[in-house]
């Protein structure tokens, strides 16, 4: 195959240009309780969901914080690749229910409604490749993982949407959007209606997960290996690929999450109203 | 995992509220020749395609009736879950050709054109989960099954689009839309161009069918089991999930079926004109 | 099953009408250096990518010529079916890099930008079924194959996007569009980010390739066999099926390729600018 | 200008064919309390909004009934043209508030939510030209008028969205959709935010109203005159024009009204919750 | 205001670069019977609709030719600006009816159907600004003028859609698309349903026509004056502006014209069938 | 007219609830050089574009800062209404050219490209009504004003897009999107191609500006008067109205600005390349 050598050389040069060291640690790295951020000298940002160095126990404060956190990550051009991962043997699997406040109150829910939309818009506005390293149960907010470009999973990882139907409310926070795009109309409805567990290998056969790794060490190693490989793509090419790839998802999220979260809130309010009516009718 | 107990209790209460018995049998249950409708006390409506208690032999009158039938089903809030199924060992596989009238006449076809669009809009406007129990050959109007949320199939069931290319006309009545969404651009074209048969298990591997059951008894049992499970989802949550899930399909149907049925009619008319021309040229 | 006999007869008659022999060889068949076109008496046009009777070595002139070539093919109603294929053991795998001119110059690129969009619009405007017979490596412009209705592949064929990341530029010429439609968000990103090779049988399991044939003779034979089968579909039905099937893809291409090629051009220019800056900074 | 005479003759013949008299009065004409329907021998259906032969006082029952009423009108092919109008000097301007039930209760609202979407889908599915004759204040559900093809208004007529902001709830029932399409982003927001009155002549200058008539007699006369003119368009041409023209609006309604009514319901519920909270905090 | 001088200078230089003389006359200039093309030295291509040096009398051959003509104009990068205009006191107002062939025959119509779509796609693919100089009645194919960026009209010019309803067929060839975009839902329906004449000055007040000139000399002069002004915009900026501006229209045309022309053909066929039925029933 | 009194009372109560005083001044109010923010006790945030208390002279730093500024404004729920305005007799009319850096360098431009998209997404994500008070020339970034819900203008204000064609680059930063939505295809192209000035009163007749005020004092007074009126709309209703109204614009911006800014950057780079080529060719 003929290739124009000067162009190839230029590509090599260009990619090397972007690999200068970054020594500073931005202030936002330590501003968010349940996100641990570290960055390699060549710009690979690892974002870990975590609570007290263990698996994350998601709170209402996190829901609020993530809007800002994802915005800061996206604005910081020193991030060249982002890796999203969990801690220990859970990716994202616990909620501190009481911390969410009274989700049956429309005015309280309104905050959730706005934050939920904007955190996904900000997350998907990140202008560099994002790799999810799913290191265990992804049973809460798995849509975060699915906004990534490449999803790696350890053998014991699995996906499920646990909280919505356990609470009895509509799964409308974007989870409906990402899974429909990922596995199609019928599989995603079954997944959500029945709280189905999808294992890492099933997810691979469905085309969501790119690679299944034997354990979490291998997973972490592979995530960084892949990140380094993507770093060899010249800066602008790398940025434009990500943005181009995320385009359709962003539009779907913009279109569907406002509605989804609205009816999720309605279904929450209704639980309370129905209970009150039942109490009255006794 | 922490969960807010009061919310969970509310969810349990709320779902139980919707389970009150319905004793009435609406008039529309018996208004349509080839639809047999029965409803359980807790609101599971079974809609059976049938002709004289055997498999349905689809007629032009059915095509007209279904607009109204699906509208009535959708308007009736006592329906909490809908199961679509066939009779005996066929889901939907026979057409009474002559009953369709002269499909080569544009003015006759115009009725088909409007009814075809509206019956799918009404079917997909049903505001509660729909389960298709595909109990055998689905070779005619399989798009009805594919407007469902969850598709179960017995082991001997299969999908095919038999009539369009057998008649020599464009498969444009919505079948192009649902199958493209279900199995993608390339598989759906091959399916339609070659009148391919897709078995229940192939359909499962392609992500259309959720579960394959060994026989029709098991199929029916499983459909009701699943229906009962979905009934435990609180009323409003259940309704909004269905509507949210059906959204994109409805838009695609609105966008594509008018056009599809227009060119289907043109291709039918052309058969006659071509035959007349051939006769003249002899 | 009842079928209206007169309609069936009409269908048979109608399809036979379109099978009249075409003896003429249009001038455009021999106007394009790297396309070899031959047509059977019943209208099956085979379009072979080729350079000097061997596998094609794609040039900048081809990029320019294809706009016109695909337009002529689409305008010629004597083409009843089109088969796209390669030569020898390559479908499309070589580029004559220097022939592309200076892709880092925006004004030079502007031609590529317009041609790239229009050639895909013209190719997808072909109003009859298109079959791709992928006879080997499809590592360059595989989007041409994926604008087809049915893709057949020989056992040794494979798909890859080689040149973009080898040059270091954004894969934005439509390849992003067709592969996303074909294999979904996650698989297509992985395919492009990592220059993954997808074998014929993997492509079949992913739903892109319809049939894998043991070798190129079998492939060619099967392509013509299938073409003849599609010829039995009446003329207007056949034409409308193709057009209806290609609709969504055409819209996506119209929407995405102008943008994709714009950022591809930017990334090319940047390689040069970055190299110049590096040289200066030494 | 040359015209093919045989075609013109055919057009004249064809239009005359559709003008056969219809003597029957369908049962649905008298099934709905607040709709008065009469049809001319040549198929012009006049639908009058009315309560006790005076201007309509809209009720919750109407909201429910219109789903079915508009479905029946659309299904009846003997309707060749539809005229929508009001009674006396009001088009649609009064609501019987208490009849709406408790709109702050999500489960009650859910009915409104489904009916509101479906009544607009059914109204816009009418397959023949619809003329609105706006004979006075159109301050409630003016979206009904704006689903028409041609809007005529008497000099004293005006448009306003009175109830939503008077109740304090989101104007999300489709009124946001039709007015945005009709007068653009900025004018429609101002119209809704400020409860602006738009006079007939202003509406004409904005492109919504086609003709302003001096009084209601002239209005009625002109509506029928125009209807008769449209009747000279051949049957299928007339039907396809309407359907083609209504296409985009139907898609926008399908897309936006579910969401709009969801947030309208939330805003209603919130009024009650806020009032309860305020009472508690005293 | 501060401006970076070097950038401004570059702009001036860049625009001057594109103004080199083109001395050649491409072969396609004289290939099409009813298009007269001339080009200034600086690349302003004037395309005149004409028959025998008088106003154009549009034929079936033109309908076929325009696909190729517009494709050649778009491919030729020596065209820097395009002016579309008519001859004498008509822009486009006559049809040679018999030349269209038998539009009631679906197989004949199929050619019209494909050509109509593709000619508009090719016309709108022109990558440089297009100015329409409407020099008189635009009563046939006024959509050609409305694919332009800027529409100038002489005082006596007017717009109307004469042929469709005169023939009795659906105005579906794109005229519905451009006019809806240009003057909105309600005005465009009235325009088409009633064969309304819209004068140049009315069209200006509706936002379609940019400038009304007192007579055709002034019109022609102004068109070239404006063209020269647009030539001062640097080459790539000028090309990208046009393409960016035409984007939405192209998508709407791709989406709507296939359908529109399909139902237009159906309505034509129906005229014949209805006439035959009427003859039989006598 | 009947209205349910309890609902009306609830509405009054609910709106009053949101009117509690906010005494704190958030830190972000003073973080951005060229934005002056002040907030009334009842939550009306005035955002003034300004440089040294005079009219704003827009810099590259502002372009960067606005991403964060608009994000902070949107996140702060104490903002109940936002007023956007300028200073003195200019809304937004000056650019400090050199501060923009080298816009011809793709890597520099890449920042502009990302920031330009995200600042408009953040601005349009503001969840409360936004009023623009256009107090003079809006010749730079007028798209900021057009993301508002209601646009007021003083008599001497006018709109123009000055910088893009003065620099010689594509107006692709969103200005093409908002103006197309605001005044339609033809007027917006003319506006941009010819650097047309549109006066306040012309903009009113085109439907963009809601009210023209005699001078800037009246303008400011009216903006606050209107803001206070909108404050009487209950909190959730007010928030949902804005979000619902901004929906389509946000999607169009997401869809079009990435592309627009890409080709704007290409056109800038080309100016430099063209100048270099010209210099070489001398």
């Amino acid at each position: 195959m003929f290739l124009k050598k000067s162009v190839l050389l230029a590509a090599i040069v260009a990619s090397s240009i972007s690999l200068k060291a970054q020594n500073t640690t931005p202030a936002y790295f330590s501003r968010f309780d349940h996100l641990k951020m570290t960055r390699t000298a060549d710009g690979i940002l690892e974002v870990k969901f975590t609570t007290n160095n263990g698996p994350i126990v998601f709170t209402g404060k996190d829901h609020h914080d993530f809007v800002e956190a994802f915005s800061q990550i996206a604005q910081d051009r020193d991030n060249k690749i982002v890796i999203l991962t969990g801690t220990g043997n859970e990716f994202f699997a616990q909620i501190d229910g009481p911390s969410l406040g009274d989700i049956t109150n429309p005015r309280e829910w309104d905050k959730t409604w706005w934050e939920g939309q904007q955190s996904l818009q900000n997350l998907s506005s990140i202008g560099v490749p994002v790799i999810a390293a799913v290191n265990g149960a992804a049973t809460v907010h798995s849509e975060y993982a699915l906004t990534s470009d490449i999803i790696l999973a350890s053998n014991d990882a699995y996906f499920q949407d646990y909280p919505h139907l356990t609470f009895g409310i509509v799964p409308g926070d974007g989870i409906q959007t990402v899974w429909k795009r990922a596995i199609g109309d019928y599989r995603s409805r079954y997944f959500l209606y029945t709280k189905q567990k999808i294992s890492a290998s099933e997810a691979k056969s469905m085309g969501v997960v790119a690679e299944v790794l034997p354990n979490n060490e291998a997973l972490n190693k592979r995530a960084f290996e892949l990140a380094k490989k993507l770093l060899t793509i010249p800066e602008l090419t790398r940025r434009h690929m990500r943005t181009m790839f995320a385009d359709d998802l962003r539009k779907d999220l913009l279109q569907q999450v406002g509605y989804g979260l609205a009816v999720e809130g309605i279904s929450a309010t209704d639980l309370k109203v129905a209970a009150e009516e039942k109490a009255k009718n006794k």
Side-chain angles (χ1 to χ4, degrees), chain A:
Chain A
M1 182 186 188
F2 300 95
L3 282 174
K4 205 175 185 173
K5 272 187 201 137
S6 62
V7 173
L8 274 176
L9 283 177
I12 292 159
V13 167
S15 68
S16 68
I17 283 176
S18 67
L19 301 181
K20 60 182 170 187
Q22 286 118 12
N23 299 312
T24 56
T25 299
Y28 73 82
F29 275 26
S30 49
R31 266 177 61 196
F32 307 102
D33 293 356
H34 292 167
L35 297 175
K36 188 175 168 192
M37 304 194 215
T38 50
R39 190 163 63 196
T40 65
D42 49 6
I44 303 171
L45 175 73
E46 188 187 55
V47 180
K48 267 188 129 139
F49 297 114
T50 187
T51 296
N52 298 330
N53 295 317
I56 189 168
V57 182
F58 182 68
T59 65
K61 182 167 185 300
D62 293 335
H63 199 272
H64 177 266
D65 283 359
F66 285 5
V67 175
E68 177 70 9
F70 298 156
S71 171
Q72 294 304 326
I73 292 169
Q75 287 184 54
D76 183 353
R77 292 182 69 90
D78 288 336
N79 297 322
K80 305 297 185 188
I81 306 274
V82 174
I83 295 174
L84 278 188
T85 193
T87 305
N89 288 313
E90 289 179 20
F91 178 75
F92 209 124
Q94 297 183 63
I95 300 180
D96 174 358
S99 78
L100 302 182
D102 182 4
I103 65 169
T104 72
N105 179 312
R107 196 157 298 189
E108 287 298 306
W109 182 262
D110 192 62
K111 293 171 200 162
T112 300
W113 175 78
W114 190 86
E115 293 165 5
Q117 295 174 73
Q118 198 58 30
S119 61
L120 287 176
Q121 282 303 312
N122 288 349
L123 183 55
S124 60
S125 79
I126 293 175
V128 295
V130 181
I131 298 169
V134 183
N135 60 307
T139 55
V140 172
H141 283 309
S142 60
E143 73 273 14
Y144 295 153
L146 273 76
T147 61
S148 304
D149 295 288
I150 294 177
I151 303 173
L152 308 178
S154 62
N155 195 53
D156 295 342
Y158 66 94
F159 299 91
Q160 187 187 27
D161 182 47
Y162 186 77
H164 289 102
L165 285 200
T166 303
F167 279 82
I169 60 178
V170 176
D173 57 355
I175 199 147
Q176 79 280 24
T177 300
V178 298
W179 281 99
K180 182 193 285 197
R181 292 189 64 86
I183 58 176
D185 278 359
Y186 302 97
R187 278 173 169 154
S188 62
R189 295 182 195 193
Y190 191 81
F191 173 69
L192 292 173
Y193 271 133
T194 70
K195 295 206 282 183
Q196 183 191 16
K197 287 189 189 185
I198 296 179
S199 71
S201 59
E202 286 167 329
K204 183 171 189 303
S205 82
M206 291 175 181
V208 189
V209 163
E211 301 179 14
V212 179
L213 285 305
N215 54 50
N216 283 338
E217 270 162 48
L219 175 70
N220 189 264
K221 191 166 161 248
R222 180 59 181 147
F224 276 89
E225 195 177 277
L226 209 47
K228 280 187 182 300
K229 185 173 176 179
L230 299 186
L231 272 182
T232 65
I233 301 174
E235 179 91 357
L236 257 62
T237 300
R238 198 191 323 121
R239 296 187 74 93
H240 278 299
M241 286 180 77
R242 157 65 179 185
T243 304
M244 188 174 75
F245 290 156
D247 224 37
D248 274 4
L249 174 63
R250 295 195 76 190
K251 276 174 227 156
D252 278 4
L253 291 170
L254 197 56
Q255 173 111 343
Q256 298 171 12
V257 182
Y259 183 23
L261 280 170
V263 296
E264 184 173 337
I266 290 170
S267 68
T269 302
D270 178 58
L271 295 183
K272 194 188 168 198
V273 175
E276 288 172 352
E277 284 174 8
K278 175 130 195 192
K280 241 185 257 175
N281 293 338
K282 268 181 188 168

